[in-house]
Structures are given as structure tokens and as C-alpha cells.
């Protein structure tokens, strides 16, 4: 692998994706390029239904593309193949995800939810526990590690989800409208936290958002229009 | 803890943090446990019944019956010696069976009469146990305290034992005694010196016997024939048999010493004397030779636990039966008992019967008990299989319930499953989460079911009487329990018998297997979910 590749936490070239749509195919992504550098953030804006979530799914290897190239931390993946066990194993270590709905496991308390990331990556241990506590402090959910998610507010739940995404020191965080379910004030707080935490943890951030001011706060702002990414 | 995360997550879904255990887990585990419990208990009890009937049947006819096709030509004693010399044969008892007509004060009964060899006692057929079963019930409490049980030794040529039904029909009874006076334990003495009858043979006449103390250690006995006080006896003395027709009293001093003038009065009722007619007498009557009936005394009442046994039955000596049948020196066959290693294994017993037959000769037949009673055991086995056949679908219903619950859980957790994939979970692990839940429910259910089955087996009598009383009422309950001999059922624990252990393990494995399968279907569905679509689902 070349040094060129290694420079990016995540790199995608020429991703295209169509979905079957009756007789024809719906062209969602045509030629999407993206380069994510560790510690830096990228925002993606676009109309509803333009393919932002689809793009994140392709980047995370949760779905397959029609064409294109994909590199995680310089490792090459063929985005045209359906995701397999190798993708899953590397995804656990390299990629962190944050979604609009917080997706915490209701049967487990806050700390156990964060630690689930370590269990999935096979790196469960004392260190992981220590780090989970530090991250929970960092995201501002202190002294609540034994509580069940249903007892937390929306903002708090999303903070826990951010801590979970960061636990395995991923190279990239993929965040799909992480503040979509929050009121304005806590949305601002959470967004600030997410940007800061990714910078501190040296993780690249791909942030899908509708909010122009959040987009401005990122290092690079992109628009997804007609299946292609272009600077805002 | 390096548990694979799928195990961890499935455990957490069954036993969530903070809540301890989910409602779904409790219900499923209980459902499985009940199924396991019922299946184990039913089979255990069916085996108990079979075991009980087996013992009862063997008790009433030995392990096998050896008979000659056209009757024994030579001396039966030679045949018996031949049989006894067989390596696997433990005991041999000759028998001669037939029907007799009994009459007692106008009451009649035609019992199945069995001639047995009193010398051989109960080496093959436990006549004394049957007597113990039959006797206490006829006597009042006061009488049963002092009347001795009849013994096989009482069986003589002029004495017969009657089955309870036959005795009731005839209104006949064996000798009995009633204690009418007891000074030592009277209200102003409150002693507990005990007097029992050591021997009360069938030839004792009715009448009043008295035992009067001279001092605390010696007493005199008076019989009903002459009212004189007889010789002096001593409490410390070993009692001697004084001959036929004389009861033996045995005195045990209690806390309050006997004193001069202390008196026991014992009312004795002699054994009934019954008239016996035989078919051979009929033959003679045709020749205008009218014979008087044979008179015999009732030596004891017996009850045979085996329901298939003749209800109206009689035990007499072999010689009595030979005389009644006019067939002196003839027996019909032999009841055989084999050594325990052979007896406990049907195949070995069948082989031993074959071997015995071939060494005796072609015209002999040696039939093991399970062949003679095959119809009955086939019926029991059929009933057992039918029960299992009915219960297996019930077990499957529990499995369906588990599968449906887990399936619902998969649908409810679709987005969570998508997230788990997004966090790096493989399809295999996702599938494991749900398969494991089925497995754990099955395992816990099996263990709980085992516990319940053990409790059931342990407290079966009280449980059964509770159930029966509530269904059939007090009286009906007594009837049901008696009929099935439920209370004497031997239901072994798994650590006591290989069969029982196998029963427990089979149904435990069945439960684990079925509920794991039940978990497998939802697991398959979960593993096949497309993560990008799962994350999108509402
Ligand atoms: N599995 C699928 N099959 C068919 N069409 C799909 C599928 N997934 C997504 N699409 C279509 O692809 C387009 C892009 O969807 P996507 O969810 O990526 O949009 P989005 O930009 O994330 O929208 P939003 O801002 O509303 O979340 C939509 O028109 C959607 O209907
Ligand atoms: Mg979207």
C-alpha cells in the first residue's frame, strides 16, 4: 500500500450506488469521492433522500456499491462485494457509528452499553473498563454508569452513544444526523462535544447534518447533490 | 471475562441488568420445566406401576412355571430334584391346582385351590407375606394387638388358607383372640405390661383363658375346659410349645410391676370349620358311592397384591389337594425361582427357561412370567407410549411459544441488531445471540424440571392423596389409592437406578434440544437481516 493511501483514515473513490426502482434503477450515488484525515471533521449536507445515509452505509461496509474503491486506514476493501466477516471484524476496531436514534441496548446499563463495543472488538478487559469510565466523564455522563438507558434524557443517551463509538479508538466516526432527535440547546452541546472529542481522540469525523451552523463548525463542508460530493 | 459477546448479550437479554430476570425468561423457563417435569413423572410412575406389577406377579407365581405336557409320568419328586439341580434355579415349589366347593353355614364359594408344599414354605411364593396382607384387617384393634399372624407352618393337611374374598363369602375366619381383662393397665394401675399370644393354631377351641399373677414374676394359666388353676409359669421363663390346640402366652413386664391377683382374660374364637367338596367326589357319587365332605379349618386369610390373581382362592397342602383330586403322588407342575442375576434380566431369564426345558425333555414347557402375562405388560407399555405420544406435542407447544417470543423479540430489536452489525458484529454472532437464548431457556427449564420431578417423586404420596381427595372425595380417594396400590409404588431416584437416570437425561436433552431449535429460527431471521435496512426500520 502506498503512503498516499496511509495518509487517510478513510478514503473512497468514485462510489456509485443504485437501487432497484420498479423497472428502472434509482441512481442515488453517482461518483462520490471522500478523504477523511485523522482528527479532522467533514460535514455532509443535502436534501432529504439524496443519499447521505446510503453513502455512510457504503463507507461503513454495511452495504455494497456498484463501483468504486474504498480504503480504511489504508487497507483496501472492495466496496462492490457484500459485507463479510472480515469487514465486520475490522469495522469493530476502525469505525465508530453514531445514529440519530441512540440505539442503546435497553437490557444493559450505561457502562455495559459502552463496554459492548469492546466486547464486539474482542478487547474487553480492565483497560477497556477504565477507558469507558474516562469517556463517560469526558462526554459529561458522570455517576450514572449503573443506570439503564431508559432513565436518561435524549441528550445523555446520545452522549453515551458517542462514548461507545469512541471506545475502541476508531480511526473514523460516522455520525448520521446525531442531533436530529434533540432540542436546539442540547443539540448544540452534543455537537460541540462530538467535534471536540473526535479531535482529542484523533478520530476523523464524517457528520451528516441538516444544520448549516453545525456544518460550518467542521473542518470541511461538503454538499451531496445529484450523487456527487462538492465543497459547499 | 473473555466470554464471546454474543453469549454475554443473550444472557443480558434473558437476565437484564437491574431487573434480574425478564418476564419472558420466567415464563419460558417455567413452561419448559413443567413439560420436563410432567414427562419425567409420567414415565417414572408408569415404570413404577410396571415394577410393582412385576413384583406382584412374580410373587404370586414365581419367575417361571415348569409343566409337563401330559402330566408327569414318574415320581414328581424326581422331577423336582432334576429341576433343583439346574444351575440357575434357586427354588422349586410343586403345585397342584383345581377348583373346590366350600361350604360354611350354608354359604358357598368355589375358589381356585392351590396345593403347595408346606415344607418348602414360601421359598417361591411368599405365602406368609400374603397372610400378613390379609389377616390384620379382619380383627378388631384390641384383638390384633394380641393375636399372632398365621404362619405357613400352620398349614397342615386339615388346614387351608382362604383369600379375603372367599373368606368373606363363606363368613369364615381363622382363630382369633380378644383381650377382655387387663388388670395391669387398668385405670387405677396404669401399667404397661404386655401380654401377647405367641401361637394360636387353627386347632385351638373357642373359650375363655385366664392368666393370673401370683406375684410380680410368676403366673398361672387356666384353660376353658377345667376351671382349675394350672401349673406355675415364670415371666423370665422361655415359653415352650405345649402342643396343638394350646395357645402360648408371652408376658412382657412393663414399668409398673405385676402384683398378686393381676389378671388377663383372653377370649379365644376357634377357627371356622368348613366343608369341602371336590370334583372327584362327583365322579364317585355317579357310582352311588356317597362320600361325606372333608372338613378343614381356616388357618389364615391372605390377600395377593396382584389384581390378576384369582379373587376366590385357597391354599392347601399338596397332599390335601392330591387327596381331594383323587390323584395321590401327582403334581401339575412347578413354580420356579431363579437366582437374582437371571431373574433381573428378561433375556437371561428366557435363556435360562430354554436351557431348563432342554435339559428336562421335549414334553416339558418352562414359561417365564413375562410370557405368561405378556398381554398385561404390552398393555402397560402401550399406555406409556401413548402418554409420551400425547405429551411430546405439549412439549412442542412450549417450544412454539419460545420461538414466537424470540421471533417477536427479533422484530422488536431489528434496529438494535442493525446497530450490532454496524458495531462489528458478525452474522454468526448475531445468530448465536438468539440461539443461545433458546438453549439457556431449555437448560434452565430442564434443571428446574428435574428439581420439580424430584420433589414430585419425593412427596408423591401426599401430593397424590391431595389430588385424589380433591377430585374423588375422601371415600373415592381411598378407593382409587387402594386400587392402584399407589402408596407402595417404588419410584426410584435417578441416582438409584439407571432407568430413572436415563428417563431424566432423555427428557432433559429433549427440552434443551427443542428449545434450542426454537431459538434457531428467530436467530436465522436475525442473522439474515440486511444491516442497512435494519438500521432504517422504524
Ligand atoms: N434499500 C433500498 N431500496 C430502494 N431504495 C432505497 C433503499 N435505501 C435507500 N433507498 C432510496 O435511496 C435514496 C437515498 O436514501 P437515503 O436514506 O440515503 O437518503 P438520506 O439522504 O439519508 O435522506 P434523509 O436526509 O431523509 O435521511 C432514497 O430515495 C431512498 O428511498
Ligand atoms: Mg438519512
Amino acid at each position: 500500500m502506498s503512503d498516499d493511501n496511509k495518509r487517510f483514515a478513510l478514503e473512497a473513490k468514485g462510489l456509485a450506488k443504485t437501487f432497484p426502482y420498479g423497472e428502472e434503477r434509482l441512481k442515488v450515488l453517482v461518483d462520490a469521492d471522500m478523504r477523511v484525515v485523522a482528527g479532522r471533521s467533514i460535514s455532509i449536507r443535502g436534501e432529504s433522500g439524496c443519499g447521505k445515509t446510503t453513502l455512510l452505509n457504503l463507507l461503513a461496509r454495511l452495504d455494497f456499491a456498484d463501483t468504486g474503491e474504498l480504503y480504511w486506514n489504508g487497507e483496501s476493501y472492495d466496496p462492490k462485494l457484500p459485507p463479510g466477516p472480515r469487514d465486520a471484524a475490522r469495522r469493530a476496531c476502525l469505525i465508530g457509528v453514531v445514529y440519530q436514534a441512540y440505539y442503546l441496548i435497553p437490557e444493559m446499563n450505561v457502562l455495559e452499553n459502552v463496554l459492548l463495543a469492546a466486547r464486539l472488538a474482542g478487547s474487553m478487559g480492565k483497560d477497556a473498563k477504565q477507558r469507558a469510565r474516562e469517556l463517560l466523564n469526558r462526554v459529561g455522563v458522570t455517576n450514572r454508569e449503573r443506570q439503564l438507558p431508559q432513565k436518561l434524557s435524549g441528550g445523555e443517551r446520545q452522549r453515551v452513544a458517542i462514548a461507545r463509538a469512541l471506545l475502541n479508538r476508531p480511526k473514523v466516526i460516522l455520525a448520521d444526523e446525531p442531533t436530529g432527535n434533540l432540542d436546539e440547546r442540547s443539540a448544540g452541546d452534543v455537537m460541540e462535544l462530538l467535534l471536540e472529542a473526535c479531535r482529542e481522540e484523533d478520530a476523523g469525523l464524517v457528520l451528516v447534518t441538516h444544520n448549516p451552523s453545525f456544518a460550518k463548525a467542521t473542518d470541511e463542508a461538503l454538499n451531496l447533490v445529484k450523487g456527487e460530493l462538492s465543497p459547499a | 471475562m473473555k466470554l464471546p459477546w454474543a453469549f454475554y448479550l443473550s444472557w443480558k437479554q434473558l437476565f437484564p441488568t437491574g431487573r434480574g430476570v425478564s418476564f419472558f425468561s420466567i415464563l419460558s423457563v417455567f413452561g419448559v420445566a413443567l413439560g420436563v417435569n410432567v414427562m419425567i413423572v409420567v414415565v417414572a410412575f408408569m415404570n413404577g406401576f410396571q415394577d410393582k406389577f412385576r413384583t406382584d406377579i412374580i410373587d404370586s407365581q414365581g419367575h417361571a412355571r415348569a409343566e409337563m405336557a401330559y402330566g408327569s409320568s414318574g415320581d414328581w419328586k424326581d422331577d423336582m430334584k432334576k429341576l433343583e439341580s439346574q444351575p440357575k434355579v434357586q427354588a422349586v415349589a410343586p403345585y397342584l391346582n383345581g377348583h373346590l366347593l366350600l361350604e360354611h353355614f350354608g354359604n358357598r364359594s368355589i375358589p381356585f385351590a392351590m396345593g403347595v408344599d408346606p415344607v418348602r414354605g414360601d421359598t417361591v411364593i411368599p405365602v406368609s407375606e400374603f397372610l400378613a396382607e390379609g389377616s390384620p384387617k379382619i380383627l378388631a384393634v384390641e384383638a390384633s394387638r394380641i393375636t399372632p399372624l398365621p404362619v405357613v407352618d400352620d398349614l397342615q393337611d386339615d388346614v387351608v388358607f382362604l383369600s379375603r374374598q372367599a373368606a368373606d363369602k363363606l363368613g369364615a375366619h381363622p382363630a382369633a383372640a380378644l383381650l377382655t381383662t387387663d388388670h395391669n393397665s387398668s385405670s387405677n394401675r396404669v401399667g404397661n405390661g404386655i401380654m401377647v399370644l405367641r401361637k394360636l393354631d387353627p386347632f385351638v377351641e373357642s373359650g375363655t383363658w385366664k392368666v393370673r399373677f401370683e406375684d410380680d414374676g410368676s403366673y398361672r394359666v387356666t384353660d376353658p375346659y377345667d376351671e382349675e388353676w394350672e401349673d406355675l409359669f415364670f415371666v423370665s421363663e422361655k415359653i415352650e410349645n405345649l402342643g396343638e390346640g394350646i395357645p402360648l402366652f408371652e408376658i412382657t413386664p412393663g414399668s409398673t410391676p405385676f402384683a398378686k391377683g393381676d389378671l388377663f382374660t383372653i377370649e379365644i374364637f376357634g377357627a371356622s370349620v368348613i366343608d369341602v367338596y371336590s370334583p372327584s367326589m362327583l365322579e364317585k357319587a355317579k357310582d352311588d358311592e356317597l362320600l361325606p365332605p372333608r372338613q378343614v379349618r381356616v388357618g389364615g386369610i391372605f390377600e395377593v397384591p396382584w389384581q390378576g390373581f384369582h379373587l376366590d382362592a385357597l391354599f392347601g397342602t399338596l397332599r390335601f389337594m392330591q387327596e381331594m383330586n383323587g390323584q395321590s403322588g401327582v403334581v401339575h407342575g412347578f413354580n420356579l425361582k431363579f437366582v437374582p442375576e437371571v431373574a433381573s434380566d428378561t433375556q437371561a431369564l428366557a435363556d435360562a427357561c430354554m436351557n431348563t426345558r432342554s435339559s428336562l425333555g421335549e414334553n416339558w414347557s418352562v414359561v417365564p412370567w413375562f410370557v405368561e402375562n405378556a398381554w398385561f405388560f404390552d398393555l402397560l407399555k402401550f399406555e406409556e407410549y401413548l402418554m409420551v405420544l400425547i405429551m411430546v406435542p405439549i412439549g412442542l407447544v412450549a417450544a412454539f411459544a419460545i420461538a414466537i417470543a424470540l421471533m417477536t423479540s427479533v422484530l422488536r430489536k431489528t434496529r438494535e441488531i442493525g446497530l450490532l452489525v454496524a458495531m462489528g458484529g458478525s452474522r454468526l454472532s448475531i445468530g448465536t445471540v438468539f440461539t443461545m437464548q433458546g438453549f439457556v431457556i431449555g437448560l434452565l427449564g430442564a434443571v428446574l424440571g428435574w428439581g420439580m420431578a424430584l420433589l414430585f417423586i419425593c412427596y408423591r404420596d401426599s401430593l397424590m392423596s391431595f389430588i385424589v381427595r380433591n377430585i374423588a372425595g375422601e371415600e373415592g380417594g381411598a378407593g382409587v389409592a387402594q386400587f392402584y396400590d399407589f402408596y407402595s409404588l417404588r419410584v426410584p431416584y435417578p441416582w438409584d437406578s439407571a432407568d430413572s437416570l436415563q428417563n431424566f437425561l432423555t427428557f432433559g436433552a429433549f427440552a434443551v434440544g427443542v428449545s434450542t431449535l426454537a431459538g434457531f429460527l428467530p436467530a436465522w431471521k436475525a442473522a439474515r437481516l440486511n444491516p442497512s435496512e435494519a438500521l432504517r426500520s422504524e
Side-chain angles (χ1 to χ4, degrees):
Chain A
M1 79 186 62
S2 69
D3 272 354
D4 192 44
N5 286 338
K6 189 74 178 160
R7 273 172 36 221
F8 302 110
L10 183 149
E11 186 179 13
K13 290 182 193 164
L15 288 180
K17 176 76 179 171
T18 56
F19 288 110
Y21 185 74
E23 294 286 286
E24 299 162 31
R25 294 190 76 85
L26 179 71
K27 283 187 191 167
V28 176
L29 295 176
V30 178
D31 182 12
D33 294 336
M34 174 166 293
R35 288 175 170 157
V36 186
V37 180
R40 287 174 60 82
S41 53
I42 298 175
S43 65
I44 299 173
R45 287 179 65 205
E47 282 172 21
S48 181
C50 72
K52 304 181 293 293
T53 301
T54 306
L55 176 63
L56 289 195
N57 283 345
L58 291 185
L59 295 180
R61 293 285 291 125
L62 292 170
D63 207 347
F64 59 92
D66 299 343
T67 57
E69 292 171 44
L70 181 66
Y71 304 90
W72 287 348
N73 199 28
E75 302 162 24
S76 168
Y77 292 82
D78 185 350
K80 297 186 287 295
L81 297 178
R86 172 185 168 236
D87 302 289
R90 295 302 291 156
R91 189 192 305 126
C93 301
L94 295 174
I95 314 276
V97 289
V98 180
Y99 291 101
Q100 178 174 357
Y102 327 100
Y103 299 142
L104 297 178
I105 309 283
E107 290 92 352
M108 300 196 278
N109 67 29
V110 165
L111 182 65
E112 288 166 342
N113 260 288
V114 175
L115 282 171
L116 188 60
R119 291 183 191 275
L120 275 145
S123 62
M124 184 60 188
K126 267 224 175 70
D127 294 348
K129 215 171 228 175
Q130 178 67 27
R131 178 165 164 78
R133 292 214 165 96
E134 283 168 15
L135 279 170
L136 281 172
N137 275 335
R138 175 66 192 83
V139 300
V141 187
T142 324
N143 294 332
R144 320 211 44 181
E145 58 177 57
R146 301 230 166 270
Q147 283 199 321
L148 292 178
Q150 68 210 38
K151 297 258 169 80
L152 302 182
S153 73
E156 285 167 331
R157 290 188 210 183
Q158 196 59 298
R159 288 160 193 261
V160 174
I162 291 170
R164 178 177 65 187
L166 287 169
L167 185 73
N168 293 329
R169 301 178 202 281
K171 296 292 167 192
V172 183
I173 299 279
L174 303 176
D176 194 351
E177 290 179 52
T179 58
N181 280 7
L182 301 177
D183 65 73
E184 221 170 297
R185 237 192 72 199
S186 47
D189 291 349
V190 166
M191 191 56 73
E192 203 174 310
L193 170 78
L194 181 62
L195 288 166
E196 266 179 33
C198 287
R199 209 170 300 134
E200 283 165 27
E201 295 287 332
D202 205 26
L205 172 67
V206 179
L207 173 70
V208 167
T209 179
H210 285 295
N211 191 320
S213 61
F214 294 161
K216 245 177 230 144
T218 55
D219 298 319
E220 187 182 356
L222 299 177
N223 274 338
L224 181 57
V225 184
K226 292 190 175 155
E228 288 187 50
L229 285 165
S230 56
Chain B
M1 275 224 300
K2 260 286 180 189
L3 264 175
W5 69 270
F7 292 5
Y8 173 80
L9 185 59
S10 62
W11 186 263
K12 278 289 163 193
Q13 295 197 337
L14 288 173
F15 305 99
T17 302
R19 262 185 300 155
V21 51
S22 76
F23 192 55
F24 158 70
S25 320
I26 294 183
L27 283 190
S28 316
V29 167
F30 253 102
V32 173
L34 278 177
V36 169
N37 170 45
V38 166
M39 288 194 262
I40 289 178
V41 165
V42 165
V43 172
F45 278 84
M46 291 307 292
N47 286 338
F49 281 129
Q50 284 174 29
D51 195 65
K52 161 122 189 74
F53 288 131
R54 186 175 306 131
T55 324
D56 290 348
I57 287 176
I58 290 172
D59 277 354
S60 64
Q61 62 192 48
H63 292 136
R65 222 157 35 81
E67 253 178 41
M68 245 182 129
Y70 311 105
S72 176
S73 49
D75 191 352
W76 61 270
K77 286 190 174 136
D78 292 339
D79 293 334
M80 190 160 80
K81 286 218 179 68
K82 252 193 273 175
L83 277 166
E84 275 174 331
S85 67
Q86 291 294 311
K88 297 281 162 56
V89 172
Q90 193 178 49
V92 183
Y95 67 82
L96 178 59
N97 298 339
H99 281 281
L100 295 176
L101 170 68
L102 308 186
E103 194 178 39
H104 182 239
F105 289 108
N107 302 320
R108 293 199 184 90
S109 162
I110 307 180
F112 181 72
M114 290 160 285
V116 296
D117 186 352
V119 182
R120 315 202 143 246
D122 34 21
T123 49
V124 176
I125 295 169
V127 178
S128 42
E129 267 174 43
F130 296 169
L131 287 170
E133 276 293 309
S135 276
K137 286 166 195 161
I138 196 180
L139 301 163
V141 179
E142 285 77 7
S144 68
R145 249 191 21 221
I146 63 160
T147 310
L149 270 183
V151 290
V152 183
D153 282 349
D154 292 339
L155 195 62
Q156 300 182 25
D157 292 347
D158 288 321
V159 175
V160 296
F161 296 152
L162 293 178
S163 71
R164 162 138 311 289
Q165 285 80 358
D168 286 350
K169 234 178 237 177
L170 293 167
H173 60 81
L178 194 61
L179 186 62
T180 49
T181 319
D182 178 357
H183 275 188
N184 188 243
S185 67
S186 63
S187 57
N188 50 357
R189 296 285 310 274
V190 212
N192 50 3
I194 295 170
M195 203 226 48
V196 291
L197 275 166
R198 260 302 143 240
K199 175 174 93 77
L200 187 64
D201 62 56
F203 298 96
V204 175
E205 298 295 334
S206 298
T208 310
W209 291 68
K210 289 185 184 132
V211 173
R212 198 189 59 182
F213 279 79
E214 295 293 319
D215 51 49
D216 63 350
S218 58
Y219 56 91
R220 287 181 197 279
V221 178
T222 169
D223 60 49
Y225 315 117
D226 48 24
E227 291 272 328
E228 288 300 300
W229 291 103
E230 300 268 342
D231 296 344
L232 198 62
F233 297 88
F234 295 94
V235 173
S236 52
E237 218 171 29
K238 195 177 168 295
I239 52 165
E240 278 169 53
N241 194 343
L242 298 174
E244 209 141 79
I246 302 177
L248 283 185
F249 301 102
E250 185 181 272
I251 280 134
T252 317
S255 50
T256 310
F258 291 110
K260 184 172 169 64
D262 271 1
L263 186 70
F264 286 109
T265 314
I266 305 100
E267 207 60 55
I268 285 180
F269 307 91
S272 305
V273 179
I274 52 180
D275 294 337
V276 185
Y277 301 87
S278 75
S280 74
M281 287 172 163
L282 225 62
E283 291 293 319
K284 298 217 169 104
K286 282 184 196 154
D287 305 334
D288 280 343
E289 187 184 347
L290 221 59
L291 287 174
R294 171 103 175 234
Q295 293 202 315
V296 294
R297 283 161 192 267
V298 177
I301 308 285
F302 65 87
E303 206 153 324
V304 181
W306 167 223
Q307 300 285 336
F309 198 81
H310 304 270
L311 290 181
D312 278 6
L314 171 154
F315 278 119
T317 64
L318 199 57
R319 190 159 46 196
F320 164 75
M321 280 304 288
Q322 285 168 344
E323 285 168 15
M324 292 311 292
N325 281 352
Q327 295 177 301
S328 63
V330 169
V331 300
H332 286 161
F334 302 89
N335 289 318
L336 304 181
K337 207 143 207 181
F338 286 88
V339 292
E341 309 91 83
V342 172
S344 60
D345 174 4
T346 37
Q347 189 52 50
L349 184 55
D351 292 345
C353 286
M354 283 294 285
N355 292 341
T356 306
R357 177 178 173 265
S358 56
S359 65
L360 285 174
E362 272 303 298
N363 50 347
W364 281 84
S365 72
V366 182
V367 185
W369 62 269
F370 52 85
V371 172
E372 197 160 338
N373 300 282
W375 61 275
F376 183 73
F377 283 91
D378 288 349
L379 206 68
L380 279 183
K381 268 279 169 230
F382 177 72
E383 195 180 345
E384 183 184 338
Y385 292 149
L386 204 66
M387 292 271 214
V388 172
L389 212 65
I390 291 167
M391 283 181 313
V392 163
I394 294 175
L396 291 179
V397 167
F400 282 135
I402 294 171
I404 290 167
L406 284 175
M407 197 64 102
T408 317
S409 155
V410 168
L411 293 179
R412 199 158 41 85
K413 291 178 185 298
T414 302
R415 290 198 306 188
E416 267 172 62
I417 292 168
L419 176 88
L420 290 170
V421 178
M423 285 172 68
S426 64
R427 283 169 191 275
L428 184 68
S429 307
I430 302 281
T432 309
V433 170
F434 291 91
T435 313
M436 271 303 286
Q437 289 189 42
F439 174 77
V440 170
I441 286 169
L443 199 64
L444 293 178
V447 171
L448 187 65
W450 286 343
M452 284 159 72
L454 289 179
L455 281 179
F456 204 108
I457 292 174
C458 181
Y459 294 106
R460 58 182 180 273
D461 287 1
S462 17
L463 264 173
M464 187 65 183
S465 62
F466 176 80
I467 293 167
V468 165
R469 233 197 335 266
N470 282 295
I471 292 172
E474 285 282 353
E475 281 171 32
V480 171
Q482 237 176 26
F483 178 73
Y484 279 117
D485 271 318
F486 187 88
Y487 296 99
S488 54
L489 266 199
R490 249 193 47 220
V491 181
Y493 291 108
W495 48 85
D496 289 333
S497 116
D499 275 354
S500 170
L501 184 67
Q502 195 197 341
N503 180 13
F504 271 69
L505 291 182
T506 305
F507 288 117
F510 175 77
V512 174
V514 164
S515 45
T516 307
L517 273 181
F520 202 74
L521 206 68
W524 179 253
K525 192 174 159 57
R528 282 176 38 120
L529 278 179
N530 179 339
S532 61
E533 279 168 25
L535 284 165
R536 232 173 249 279
S537 82
E538 289 303 303

